[in-house]
Amino acid sequence: MTRIEVPDIGDYKDIPVIEVLVQVGQRVEQEQSLVMLESDKATMDVASPTAGVIKELNVSVGDKVSQGVVIVLLESEGTEHNEVVSSPAVAASVAQDPAQPETNVTTVPVPEPESAPAPLHRTLARESEPVPESHASPSVRKLARELGVEISRVQGSGPKQRITLDDVTAFVRNVMTTSSGTPAVPPSPVSANGAELGLLPWPRVDFAKFGPVDSRPLSRIKKISGATLHRNWVMIPHVTNNDEADITELEALRTQLNGEYEKSGVKFTILAFVIKAVVAALKKFPALNASLKGDNLVFKHYYHIGFAADTPNGLVVPVIRDADRKGLVEIVREMGELSKLAREGKLKPDQMQGGCFSISSLGGIGGTHFTPIVNAPEVAILGLSRSAMKPVWDGQQFVPRLILPLSLSFDHRALDGAEAGRFNAYLVSLLADYRRMLL
């Protein structure tokens, strides 16, 4: 018999079981999913490390488990003795804004619903009223908090009236389209209800009367990330500094290196060079490698760089840790591995945590400049658009040069325009002449 335990899941504890995918007597294959766990950051799929028959199932939906808890007793094929297996196959699908490093810094155990403190925004008149117990997973409660929704006011549609993500979003849609459904909360910049900001209610339109329509639900990533992006855009005073870097020589170097490393399978991209240049610029301008915490600016002495990866379900932001200690080849390989995991939905929570500066690249798509949204609690984010050949005056004549547009969005509370402009100008100089990083 093989005892399959909850594997190493980082700092998470008491994670709810949201789905049990097998039953006693069922035969399972190697890597087949057994149960699904859901923290406030990710949904994790625990798979069987070997083929066999389920002899005992020790968890059910709603149970809370931690690392080491035995979830299944499996009669393994070809096994003649008892053994304990901690399944290594844990695939995590993002349950937050891909660009949300705030939850990437620390992991806080989520209290049991029964002992959860009353929402701080409840009015005094309601404080004495009994609060009905609301059954919801940590990620659902997190979404409700970000949207300014009092979870006790949401009607659950799941098993045993459990509140789902769709219930929360449906509640918000109802509030946005009705005048009498406003939650009993004070105006908040994070709320999705325009009326609370003194704005007109969201237009209620029957699109079908104008022509054929097709309604499709948002992906899980987009539903979760939308609230965070809204918060970041509303609460952070964004300013974007646009500049252009001459990468003619850098592109020649990239092409040369791709030829030299072709047999080893390493493919250099401009983004990899930009990551190294950004680290050098962050060292020269440490205020951009910081975070606001109250009235303090917390300077970081590590360089974890996040990059936006496009996936079928939306953007996620894997993080390259200690980019200052890695060579260009190592960064290229790690970017490839993380991007592959992102597309397959297998990024683990720790692979999206701890970022201190992010880069969003539209180079493969197009555009001249754009305004990337700062990932709180970071204070800046760099956007890359598509490079193009342009005529540049060299003092005597116009010559064709390959120009890369850069868009640096920054939090004006932490940085002034002059410092952000100097950072961008220095980054431009590094990309124009990569040898400057040796100085």
Side-chain angles (χ1 to χ4, degrees), residues 180-197:
S180 59
T182 305
V185 296
S188 167
V190 235
S191 174
N193 182 17
E196 294 179 359
L197 300 177

Side-chain angles (χ1 to χ4, degrees), residues 202-217:
W202 194 262
R204 190 173 184 177
V205 180
D206 180 11
F207 300 103
K209 72 179 183 180
F210 301 110
V213 297
D214 182 19
S215 180
R216 301 178 185 178

Side-chain angles (χ1 to χ4, degrees), residues 358-373:
S358 298
I359 303 174
S360 178
S361 176
L362 297 178
I365 301 173
T368 54
H369 292 92
F370 66 104
T371 300
I373 299 178

Side-chain angles (χ1 to χ4, degrees), residues 148-159:
V149 173
E150 206 171 333
I151 194 70
S152 61
R153 295 170 57 87
V154 181
Q155 180 67 40
S157 63

Side-chain angles (χ1 to χ4, degrees), residues 145 201 203 225 305 330 346 378:
R145 288 195 302 270
S225 65
I305 308 299
E330 190 175 358
K346 295 182 179 179
E378 299 173 13

Side-chain angles (χ1 to χ4, degrees), residues 20 28 70 87 107 117 134 142 145 158 177 181 196 230 244 249 280 292 371 383 388 392 394 399 406 409 414:
V20 177
V28 297
V70 178
S87 171
T107 299
S134 301
K142 179 174 181 292
R145 288 195 302 270
T177 55
E196 294 179 359
H230 179 212
E244 294 182 336
E249 275 74 28
L292 275 174
T371 300
V392 177
D394 67 355
V399 294
L406 305 177
S409 288

